[in-house]
Amino acid sequence: MPDDTDDIASDIIAKWSAHFSKLDADALAALYSQGAFFFGSNPTLYRGRDGVKAYFNGLPRWAAPRVQFSEVRTGRVNPDLVNMAGIASFFLDSDAPSLAVKITWVIVREDGGWKIACHHVSSQTPLI
Protein backbone atom coordinates (compact mmCIF):
# COMPACT_ATOMS: atom_id res chain seq x y z
CA MET A 1 0.00 0.00 0.00
CA PRO A 2 1.57 3.33 -1.05
CA ASP A 3 2.02 5.93 1.67
CA ASP A 4 -0.21 8.81 0.61
CA THR A 5 -0.33 10.57 3.99
CA ASP A 6 1.31 13.74 2.64
CA ASP A 7 -1.29 13.93 -0.16
CA ILE A 8 -4.16 13.43 2.29
CA ALA A 9 -2.92 16.20 4.56
CA SER A 10 -2.05 18.52 1.65
CA ASP A 11 -5.56 18.17 0.22
CA ILE A 12 -7.19 19.10 3.54
CA ILE A 13 -4.69 21.93 4.13
CA ALA A 14 -5.51 23.42 0.71
CA LYS A 15 -9.26 23.27 1.32
CA TRP A 16 -8.91 24.53 4.92
CA SER A 17 -6.73 27.46 3.81
CA ALA A 18 -9.13 28.47 1.02
CA HIS A 19 -12.16 28.34 3.33
CA PHE A 20 -10.31 30.20 6.10
CA SER A 21 -9.47 33.05 3.71
CA LYS A 22 -13.24 33.56 3.31
CA LEU A 23 -14.02 32.76 6.96
CA ASP A 24 -16.58 30.31 5.57
CA ALA A 25 -17.68 28.54 8.76
CA ASP A 26 -19.99 26.11 6.94
CA ALA A 27 -17.28 24.98 4.52
CA LEU A 28 -14.68 24.73 7.29
CA ALA A 29 -17.02 22.70 9.50
CA ALA A 30 -17.65 20.29 6.61
CA LEU A 31 -13.94 19.34 6.73
CA TYR A 32 -14.38 17.95 10.25
CA SER A 33 -15.67 14.65 11.55
CA GLN A 34 -19.14 14.49 13.11
CA GLY A 35 -17.47 13.78 16.47
CA ALA A 36 -14.53 16.18 16.14
CA PHE A 37 -12.71 17.74 19.09
CA PHE A 38 -11.46 21.28 18.36
CA PHE A 39 -9.10 23.41 20.45
CA GLY A 40 -8.50 26.66 18.57
CA SER A 41 -7.18 30.01 19.73
CA ASN A 42 -9.26 30.20 22.89
CA PRO A 43 -9.51 27.82 25.87
CA THR A 44 -12.91 26.37 24.92
CA LEU A 45 -13.15 22.80 23.65
CA TYR A 46 -15.57 22.78 20.72
CA ARG A 47 -17.18 19.48 19.71
CA GLY A 48 -18.57 18.24 16.43
CA ARG A 49 -19.26 20.17 13.26
CA ASP A 50 -21.67 22.50 15.04
CA GLY A 51 -18.94 23.38 17.53
CA VAL A 52 -16.41 24.00 14.76
CA LYS A 53 -18.93 26.20 12.97
CA ALA A 54 -19.60 28.15 16.18
CA TYR A 55 -15.87 28.72 16.67
CA PHE A 56 -15.35 30.13 13.17
CA ASN A 57 -18.55 32.21 13.30
CA GLY A 58 -17.22 33.73 16.54
CA LEU A 59 -13.97 34.99 15.01
CA PRO A 60 -13.52 38.67 14.11
CA ARG A 61 -14.30 39.50 10.49
CA TRP A 62 -10.82 40.39 9.24
CA ALA A 63 -10.59 42.05 5.83
CA ALA A 64 -8.28 39.51 4.17
CA PRO A 65 -7.30 36.65 6.49
CA ARG A 66 -4.97 33.99 5.22
CA VAL A 67 -2.98 31.09 6.62
CA GLN A 68 0.26 29.46 5.56
CA PHE A 69 1.27 25.99 6.73
CA SER A 70 4.94 25.03 7.10
CA GLU A 71 7.06 22.27 8.61
CA VAL A 72 4.21 19.83 7.96
CA ARG A 73 4.83 16.24 9.00
CA THR A 74 2.46 13.33 8.55
CA GLY A 75 2.28 9.74 9.72
CA ARG A 76 -0.07 6.87 9.03
CA VAL A 77 -1.45 5.27 12.19
CA ASN A 78 -3.58 2.71 10.35
CA PRO A 79 -5.36 2.58 6.97
CA ASP A 80 -8.09 4.94 8.23
CA LEU A 81 -6.08 7.31 10.46
CA VAL A 82 -3.41 9.93 9.69
CA ASN A 83 -1.60 12.27 12.09
CA MET A 84 -0.49 15.70 10.89
CA ALA A 85 1.65 18.27 12.72
CA GLY A 86 3.04 21.57 11.55
CA ILE A 87 3.17 25.32 11.96
CA ALA A 88 0.22 27.49 10.91
CA SER A 89 1.02 31.17 10.37
CA PHE A 90 -2.07 33.37 10.32
CA PHE A 91 -2.00 36.76 8.58
CA LEU A 92 -5.05 38.62 9.84
CA ASP A 93 -4.50 42.35 9.32
CA SER A 94 -2.21 43.96 6.77
CA ASP A 95 -0.18 45.90 9.36
CA ALA A 96 -0.10 43.25 12.10
CA PRO A 97 2.60 40.58 12.40
CA SER A 98 1.57 37.03 11.70
CA LEU A 99 0.37 34.78 14.48
CA ALA A 100 2.22 31.45 14.26
CA VAL A 101 1.04 28.42 16.23
CA LYS A 102 1.83 24.73 16.41
CA ILE A 103 -1.04 22.75 14.93
CA THR A 104 -1.93 19.07 15.03
CA TRP A 105 -4.73 17.24 13.31
CA VAL A 106 -5.92 13.67 13.54
CA ILE A 107 -7.43 12.87 10.16
CA VAL A 108 -9.84 9.94 9.79
CA ARG A 109 -11.56 8.23 6.90
CA GLU A 110 -15.26 8.92 7.37
CA ASP A 111 -18.20 8.64 4.98
CA GLY A 112 -15.90 7.87 2.04
CA GLY A 113 -13.59 10.84 2.56
CA TRP A 114 -11.00 12.25 4.92
CA LYS A 115 -12.12 14.41 7.85
CA ILE A 116 -10.35 16.15 10.73
CA ALA A 117 -11.29 14.34 13.95
CA CYS A 118 -9.09 16.30 16.32
CA HIS A 119 -7.73 19.84 15.88
CA HIS A 120 -5.36 21.40 18.38
CA VAL A 121 -3.27 24.56 18.29
CA SER A 122 -0.77 25.73 20.87
CA SER A 123 1.77 28.46 21.39
CA GLN A 124 5.23 28.16 19.92
CA THR A 125 6.55 29.86 23.06
CA PRO A 126 7.79 27.31 25.59
CA LEU A 127 5.62 27.14 28.70
CA ILE A 128 8.29 25.56 30.90
Side-chain angles (χ1 to χ4, degrees):
M1 170 182 205
D3 189 356
D4 57 351
T5 58
D6 289 345
D7 294 337
I8 292 164
S10 292
D11 181 58
I12 294 179
I13 287 170
K15 292 174 185 173
W16 200 97
S17 299
H19 299 324
F20 179 80
S21 70
K22 299 174 186 163
L23 292 175
D24 186 338
D26 289 321
L28 283 159
L31 297 175
Y32 288 81
S33 169
Q34 292 284 2
F37 277 24
F38 184 103
F39 266 128
S41 59
N42 66 46
T44 302
L45 172 62
Y46 295 87
R47 299 185 70 170
R49 289 184 184 146
D50 288 341
V52 172
K53 184 176 174 182
Y55 172 82
F56 286 108
N57 277 331
L59 291 177
R61 300 290 106 182
W62 299 292
R66 65 184 179 87
V67 62
Q68 180 179 339
F69 286 78
S70 61
E71 300 179 40
V72 174
R73 303 292 182 268
T74 63
R76 173 89 59 179
V77 176
N78 64 46
D80 297 319
L81 190 67
V82 171
N83 275 328
M84 187 283 295
I87 304 298
S89 298
F90 293 90
F91 302 87
L92 305 174
D93 288 318
S94 59
D95 58 346
S98 67
L99 168 65
V101 296
K102 297 182 290 184
I103 187 166
T104 59
W105 287 340
V106 175
I107 303 167
V108 299
R109 192 184 319 259
E110 182 178 284
D111 298 330
W114 292 98
K115 303 291 182 182
I116 303 165
C118 187
H119 171 122
H120 187 268
V121 299
S122 60
S123 171
Q124 287 192 280
T125 305
L127 301 175
I128 298 175

